[in-house]
Amino acid sequence: MNSSNSIFQLLYISPPGWGGVLLTGALATLFISAGAYLLGMILGLVGALGKLSGPRPIRFTLNVYTTVVRAVPELVMIVALFYAGTSGLNHVLSLAGMGPIEVNGLVAAIAVLGFVQGAYMTEVIRGAILSIPVGQVEAAKAFGMRPTMRFRRIVLPSLLPNALPGFANLWLSVIKDSALIAVVGYQELALAARVAASNTKQYMLFFLAAAAIYLAITITSNLLFSAIEMYFRRGQRPVN
Amino acid sequence: MDFSWIVSYRELLLHGALLTCLLLVISVTVGFWIAVLLAVAQVGRNPVLKYAAKSYCTFFRGTPLLIQLWLIYYGLGSYLPHIPGLRGSFLWPIMREGVFFAGVALTLNFAAYQGEILRGTLLAVPKGELEAAKAAGMPPFMVLRRIWLPRAIRIGLPTLAGEIILQLKATPIVFSVTVMDLYGAAYKIRQDTLLVYEPLILVAAFYVALTFLITQAFQRLENAVPTRR
């Protein structure tokens, strides 16, 4: 076989090409990232509201959560939670008189990354809420708006433009952090590339291909987020 | 909780902690100087250098460190022995080790993030100061060396602490290329002793402590730099 031709045949979608494996891995990466991102956003919203207006013990717990998660390396956090999460769950189940269950790798990955994202999200949302002028919230109160309506009509629309750059950063970081899931053995894009590379001994080719896919995802996300931010900043006076 | 293994593994742990610190120091110092070059190239007038520096930053900031590390370790690493003369040279014993590739990957990655930050702070230096330097008769390179860069680095000082902490938290990944850093040591201890959490808790505590030290050091450094508010 001619060398340069056959090397690129390795990227074909169907076997003997490994393109299909890579694309399946890329889908898994996107799915894990999106799931973890959504979970993190829910945790972050609850966390931020709790930190800003919760009672003291809740505020203290949330402070411990955000400090510890943000100070410990993601890899250590992911490995610890991966084992702690599954064995903890089985412990609870055995207390309830049920047998141990096998936790789905995908669910575990989403839960673990989402828990880490939640801590960063809490800080982003808290900062965005704090940057809303107090007068606006007071005015809403004076109009007799209930807390939920106040949040929906006043807080959320003015929070979003301030939070979006932070959200964009976190989305990019969750995509890159999802590669760490490869270390605990779930086959997303990074691990798929490694499997393909070690099977064919074409390390350069497959890691470059994986890097290109990651790059495509991050660049597209960048464009998308700046479009979204532009939409939510409509009507705002531009700086300078 | 059983921490009795610390005594028998103290050498491994100490060695690992030192290696983690070494990787951090090397990647931050070397990476910082590469970042300066990248930032200057990005704000400079040469379109080729500008484009090259921009693509470098986009590539390294847009892909996971894990992929970069594997690309360098497995990808480049498999080509290195084919370069004539390299195998016999004095560099070979270093270039064979996983630590070398880990250091290179961490350095290049840090340079990309820091380069982007310095690009921003270079642009944030008040134009008047640069014009004043020019008016005082400084040639362009002297303006850069005496006024532009020092001012840009000072503006970027608060974010540098954050970047270094992020870099510290990125280091454990090097265990995936057989480097025995602190996390690698914990990994080995977990396999030897079958303890699930204790080694992880110990290394996590070490990372938190080091994070605290870095923030404290930078607080001092920031206070030492005179600023007018």
Side-chain angles (χ1 to χ4, degrees):
Chain A
M1 265 199 289
N2 204 295
S3 63
S4 73
N5 205 10
S6 67
I7 278 183
F8 287 105
Q9 277 173 3
L10 288 173
L11 287 177
Y12 285 178
I13 299 292
S14 54
W18 289 82
V21 176
L22 285 189
L23 286 182
T24 320
L27 275 182
T29 285
L30 279 177
F31 194 74
I32 291 174
S33 305
Y37 194 62
L38 277 181
L39 180 61
M41 212 172 245
I42 295 167
L43 285 178
L45 198 57
V46 173
L49 293 177
K51 251 191 171 181
L52 287 173
S53 51
R56 194 165 271 223
I58 288 185
R59 250 187 290 169
F60 177 75
T61 321
L62 286 170
N63 270 330
V64 172
Y65 165 56
T66 53
T67 313
V68 169
V69 171
R70 294 189 311 151
V72 174
E74 278 80 5
L75 182 67
V76 176
M77 211 64 218
I78 285 168
V79 171
L81 288 176
F82 218 81
Y83 294 105
T86 44
S87 74
L89 189 64
N90 281 331
H91 191 69
V92 171
L93 283 179
S94 73
L95 283 182
M98 285 181 279
I101 52 161
E102 185 84 15
V103 178
N104 183 340
L106 187 71
V107 175
I110 290 178
V112 167
L113 278 177
F115 186 78
V116 175
Q117 280 278 306
Y120 288 91
M121 217 52 115
T122 300
E123 291 302 312
V124 168
I125 297 177
R126 192 179 70 95
I129 290 179
L130 281 179
S131 69
I132 299 171
V134 190
Q136 294 195 8
V137 179
E138 281 172 354
K141 273 185 197 163
F143 270 113
M145 287 192 191
R146 306 215 159 273
T148 46
M149 186 190 257
R150 215 155 62 210
F151 183 78
R152 190 162 49 85
R153 283 213 188 149
I154 309 296
V155 174
L156 197 61
S158 45
L159 166 156
L160 272 176
N162 294 327
L164 269 170
F167 285 163
N169 282 341
L170 286 179
W171 168 245
L172 295 180
S173 84
V174 76
I175 286 173
K176 287 179 270 173
D177 282 352
S178 74
L180 296 176
I181 294 294
V183 173
V184 284
Y186 188 78
Q187 185 155 339
E188 36 63 72
L189 182 49
L191 195 59
R194 191 175 172 161
V195 167
S198 55
N199 268 302
T200 57
K201 301 290 166 221
Q202 293 294 336
Y203 292 102
M204 206 65 171
L205 176 75
F206 282 108
F207 288 135
L208 275 180
I213 298 176
Y214 276 114
L215 210 53
I217 295 174
T218 46
I219 289 175
T220 319
S221 312
N222 259 339
L223 295 175
L224 219 64
F225 266 103
S226 44
I228 296 174
E229 194 181 336
M230 208 121 93
Y231 174 77
F232 277 106
R233 280 200 190 278
R234 70 196 189 284
Q236 277 190 3
R237 206 174 299 147
V239 188
N240 299 331
Chain B
M1 286 284 156
D2 173 17
F3 280 100
S4 53
W5 44 269
I6 292 183
V7 185
S8 42
Y9 283 102
R10 63 180 184 279
E11 295 240 316
L12 187 70
L13 285 167
L14 211 63
H15 197 251
L18 277 178
L19 197 54
T20 292
C21 293
L22 191 72
L23 278 172
L24 180 69
V25 170
I26 289 179
S27 63
V28 166
T29 40
V30 180
F32 189 85
W33 291 111
I34 302 178
V36 168
L37 297 180
L38 285 170
V40 171
Q42 283 194 72
V43 296
R45 283 200 212 98
N46 188 326
V48 178
L49 285 181
K50 193 174 188 162
Y51 190 74
K54 265 210 165 72
S55 349
Y56 176 93
C57 286
T58 312
F59 178 81
F60 278 93
R61 280 157 30 95
T63 55
L65 176 60
L66 187 67
I67 290 286
Q68 294 158 19
L69 181 64
W70 287 354
L71 188 65
I72 291 171
Y73 180 74
Y74 294 108
L76 278 184
S78 61
Y79 287 121
L80 279 185
H82 300 303
I83 299 173
L86 194 61
R87 246 197 140 120
S89 78
F90 68 100
L91 282 172
W92 187 244
I94 312 168
M95 297 184 75
R96 217 174 33 186
E97 297 288 329
V99 181
F100 170 74
F101 296 99
V104 170
L106 285 172
T107 305
L108 295 180
N109 187 264
F110 182 79
Y113 283 91
Q114 188 59 33
E116 201 63 23
I117 289 172
L118 285 178
R119 182 187 69 89
T121 57
L122 276 175
L123 293 176
V125 173
K127 285 279 167 300
E129 295 183 19
L130 301 180
E131 282 161 11
K134 221 172 171 182
M138 289 191 192
F141 186 72
M142 197 189 263
V143 175
L144 183 69
R145 188 167 53 91
R146 284 213 190 147
I147 313 289
W148 207 4
L149 259 182
R151 283 285 280 133
I153 290 171
R154 240 175 235 195
I155 296 171
L157 212 52
T159 43
L160 183 59
E163 285 300 309
I164 293 177
I165 290 166
L166 287 181
Q167 183 72 0
L168 169 68
K169 296 199 307 165
T171 53
I173 213 169
V174 301
F175 100 100
S176 70
V177 294
T178 71
V179 177
M180 267 299 189
D181 74 324
L182 186 62
Y183 179 75
Y187 186 76
K188 185 176 161 26
I189 294 168
R190 290 180 69 204
Q191 285 189 324
D192 287 359
T193 60
L194 300 179
L195 292 167
V196 183
Y197 306 116
E198 287 89 336
L200 284 177
I201 291 173
L202 182 79
V203 296
F206 176 84
Y207 286 112
V208 173
L210 207 53
T211 303
F212 181 74
L213 281 181
I214 294 171
T215 40
Q216 288 299 310
F218 266 86
Q219 209 117 59
R220 290 202 165 181
L221 193 61
E222 265 175 62
N223 289 339
V225 173
T227 45
R228 198 173 65 181
R229 290 181 206 285

